[in-house]
């Protein structure tokens, strides 16, 4: 049995407007480091966590939630909006499509830890060397990252 099923059997619920209700019929939950609301409870004397959006999805879709390749989607991309109409299930590809285009650019841009000046320097050096592996060894960066920075970075630098 999955922890969503156990939490539901114990009496945890999510209201239509997305509030997590505990065993004492009061609103509970806090936000984890990933930005999702959750709460903790015990299963067989072991403490575990349940995400509000996953419990809402279980209430809405039942065991379909547990099929291979299925993830819970926040249709408006707000991980704190666990309302009934904002929660859906689908594939990871569906989940990615839910993210507004401008947010996708920012996500990729924020993952890049290399400053613009460094990338421009790499591009100049690559014109001379023409070898991703050699540049990678020089800067202790994988050749695939060097290739990405030289060829794709320009797409996201203005995000």
């Amino acid at each position: 049995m999955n922890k969503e099923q156990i939490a539901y059997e114990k009496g945890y619920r999510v209201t239509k407007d997305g509030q997590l209700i505990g065993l004492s019929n009061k609103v509970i939950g806090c936000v984890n480091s990933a930005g999702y609301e959750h709460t903790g409870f015990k299963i067989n004397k072991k403490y575990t966590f349940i995400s509000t959006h996953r419990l809402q999805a279980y209430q809405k879709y039942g065991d379909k939630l547990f099929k291979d390749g299925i993830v819970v989607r926040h249709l408006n991309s707000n991980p704190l909006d666990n309302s009934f109409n904002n929660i859906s299930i689908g594939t990871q590809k569906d989940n990615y499509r839910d993210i507004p285009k401008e947010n996708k650019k920012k996500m990729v841009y924020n993952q890049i830890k290399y400053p613009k000046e460094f990338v421009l320097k790499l591009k100049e050096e690559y014109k001379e060397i023409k070898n991703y592996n050699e540049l990678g060894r020089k800067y202790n960066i994988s050749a695939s990252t060097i290739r990405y920075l030289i060829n794709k970075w320009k797409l996201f630098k203005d995000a």
Side-chain angles (χ1 to χ4, degrees), residues 40-117:
F41 71 103
K42 287 186 179 179
I43 300 176
N44 299 327
K45 298 182 182 178
K46 262 185 132 173
Y47 203 72
T48 190
F49 291 92
I50 178 86
S51 298
T52 304
H53 64 283
R54 289 191 56 82
L55 184 57
Q56 181 74 287
Y58 177 68
Q59 290 176 185
K60 189 172 181 179
Y61 297 102
D63 291 342
K64 290 179 185 177
L65 171 64
F66 308 119
K67 288 185 178 180
D68 284 344
I70 295 297
V71 298
V72 178
R73 301 163 53 202
H74 287 87
L75 298 176
N76 69 2
S77 297
N78 178 353
L80 295 176
D81 182 353
N82 297 303
S83 62
F84 187 84
N85 291 330
N86 189 50
I87 297 297
S88 185
I89 57 174
T91 64
Q92 186 60 45
K93 194 172 189 178
D94 296 328
N95 198 27
Y96 184 74
R97 285 187 192 131
D98 296 335
I99 302 169
K101 189 175 183 178
E102 59 276 4
N103 291 9
K104 288 178 190 173
K105 284 184 177 181
K106 289 176 186 172
M107 285 168 51
V108 173
Y109 178 72
N110 289 337
Q111 291 174 2
I112 298 171
K113 61 183 178 182
Y114 303 100
K116 178 180 179 178
E117 295 75 25

Side-chain angles (χ1 to χ4, degrees), residues 9-64:
E9 277 189 8
K10 284 182 174 260
Y12 292 90
R13 298 291 186 273
V14 181
T15 64
K16 292 277 186 191
D17 64 349
Q19 293 186 314
L20 180 59
I21 306 296
L23 303 181
S24 61
N25 262 354
K26 293 183 180 176
V27 176
I28 61 170
C30 60
V31 178
N32 66 18
S33 61
Y36 294 93
E37 185 182 76
H38 74 288
T39 194
F41 71 103
K42 287 186 179 179
I43 300 176
N44 299 327
K45 298 182 182 178
K46 262 185 132 173
Y47 203 72
T48 190
F49 291 92
I50 178 86
S51 298
T52 304
H53 64 283
R54 289 191 56 82
L55 184 57
Q56 181 74 287
Y58 177 68
Q59 290 176 185
K60 189 172 181 179
Y61 297 102
D63 291 342
K64 290 179 185 177

